[in-house]
Amino acid sequence: MISSPLIPSSILLLLNVDDGDTVTDFMAQERERGITIQSAAVTFDWKGYRINLIDTPGHVDFTLEVERCLRVLDGAVAVFDASAGVEAQTLTVWRQADKHKIPRICFLNKMDKTGASFNYAVESIREKLKAKPLLLQLPIGEGKTFKGVVDVVSKEKLLWNPNSDDGKDFERKPLLEMSDPELLKEITEARNALIEQVADLDDEFADLVLGEFSENFDLLPAEKLQTAVHRVTLAQTAVPVLCGSALKNKGVQPLLDAITMYLPSPEERNYEFLQWYKGDLCALAFKVLHDKQRGPLVFLRIYSGMIKPQLAIHNINGNCTERISRLLLPFADQHVEIPSLTAGNIALTVGLKHTATGDTIVSSKSSALAACRRAEREGEKKHRQNNEAERLLLAGVEIPEPVFFCIIEPPSVAKQPDLDHALKCLQREDPSLKVKLDPDSGQTILCGMGELHIEIIHDRIKREYGLETYLGPLQVAYRETILNSVRATDTLDRTLGDRRHLVTVELEAKSLETSSLLPVIEYAASVAKDLSQASREAIENGLHSACLQGPLLGSPIQDVAITLHSLVIHPGTSTTMISACVSRCLQKALKKADKQILEPLMNLEVTVPGDYLSPVLADLAQRRGNIQEIQTRQDNKVVIGFVPLAEIMGYSTVLRTLTSGSATFALELSNYQAMNPQDQSTLLSQRSGLS
């Protein structure tokens, strides 16, 4: 059996992140900052099992890295700071794991940190994540007194040698009445509570407990309880909780045992699409890296079949065939060449020039067509309406819209092609990075998920591509909408060569009640009946392009419905002219409408010592912050609220000054909200250079 759980966390369990030398944090920026920026894969064996581990970022700017890795996981370990419990970004990642239905284990890390509290962390998992924690371990001591853990299932204590830095030196002893009477009593109660909890969630285990062991739970074998916990974890009705300290590797060995014992192997994950491939190759490309020597490196999760070097593969999304030149097993930035790799593994391939994140890879076009026919037959049997063939494409990842943008310029015009190449490579690696050209100035605009995201991209261009680029001031990605209903008519009449192109359009634009990034397009009955597919596509292209630049700030338009009331097209008119006329007509309508700027509103969570609470609240009030609640977390206060993104730029420096470096904060995009008239007119004045 191959166990293939992958660990989404911002700290690698096997090595010390505090020294900045974590194996999976191999980028220079990661080692300098002591954080994970890019996900990295590590393959290793543990007690006869193959484990593929992926270490992912915890910072909100790199949420997409977590999303695309969760897509290919069989199981996950969520790592918590035992002194903080569930934090803002924990909730985001937990929701992502829920979406992909990933079975999880919780690991309460930093049990040796001052302020660590096992009970507080468990309670926060129960309350904030609405999960049912199964306590498989209890700590022996907390903070400076932490020296080991007790295995609740087997009633054994694990004590680490305090003089051992690598955590290899520890002893496992059974709890005895003579030496540990109080601890044994506490663990017996905890084990009985665990048995009752699992019995409530698993009928098979409940029958066993009530039948053979109802008189004395102590007689219940540990293996039976472990099997039941495994079933409950796979059903995602509860989450096993373990604890330790990754800094000294205390508790890491039992965590690895728990991964192989409780998380699913690839065979235990039921992927519906596999039945259509009948053992043929099916894989998902979930990450692309650029290597100066080898070119693009594509990470593949193999769901069925086998991959070998020199194998020709078919990309369903790109409808192209490519050849894998070399096959590597990933170990962070160290890669071992291998002759083949089977289902359940993570492969690193060299030679795929056109494959991008989210592409589905199969052995050949004929294999895809055969799977398609099987899917269609299955659909006919079940009388399904949807197109089963479409489900051959493995779900890719949803790419969030960027909230920050800035101008990036090369050191000289001669270096512009080098900058374009660097940005193209970085975009292929990181789909959340968007690059566009300003149509007026011709400057390159960089769009990203946050200040840190853009700062890292700028740093990588300098280090990896040797370009000293200039970065303009960060600007907020506003959006625009309209508040009323407006009509407009436009005619485009142009003769090119001996052809006359004539289009007359009448349309209406109105505001939508519900939020929609793309315009909702409707056609009057008189227009719809005679409209060809080519004309319809031309109209929609024109409307979408008009919505890319609003009349106030040139920001994208959202929450707009457009109705085409009249369309007259002269015979021989090209689709390009139709698009241009429709686009110009909509721009005319938008200019006449009552316009509204929408600004990104952020969820903010500030953790601050009680002594500094007042200055932090006063500062947030000046930033148009809206405080929702103030919670108590141990000796700290946690301020939760909303604040406009425009007001929070450079906040980390200000917060550090206000609290003498003792506070931390987390940000996450909540939604876009309408600016009040005063703030809107101030912004427009700033943009037009009047203030």
Side-chain angles (χ1 to χ4, degrees), residues 594-649:
D594 295 336
K595 297 168 280 292
Q596 172 71 60
I597 296 174
L598 305 173
E599 65 175 343
L601 190 69
M602 310 300 284
N603 284 323
L604 174 70
E605 184 177 295
V606 184
T607 306
V608 56
D611 299 348
Y612 295 106
L613 181 61
S614 295
V616 167
L617 292 176
D619 179 65
L620 286 175
Q622 290 180 336
R623 295 173 184 271
R624 297 191 282 136
N626 180 2
I627 308 302
Q628 298 296 298
E629 62 174 318
I630 299 171
Q631 299 174 349
T632 301
R633 180 186 291 166
Q634 317 266 69
D635 299 331
N636 293 327
K637 297 291 182 187
V638 181
V639 180
I640 296 170
F642 299 106
V643 65
L645 179 60
E647 303 288 346
I648 213 75
M649 286 212 250

Side-chain angles (χ1 to χ4, degrees), residues 140 150-151 154-157 173-181 183-188:
I140 301 173
V150 181
D151 187 328
S154 63
K155 295 194 348 191
E156 294 174 315
K157 65 178 179 180
K173 292 181 182 174
L175 286 174
L176 301 172
E177 182 74 50
M178 291 175 65
S179 54
D180 300 293
L183 189 55
L184 180 62
K185 185 185 174 189
E186 184 187 348
I187 294 306
T188 303

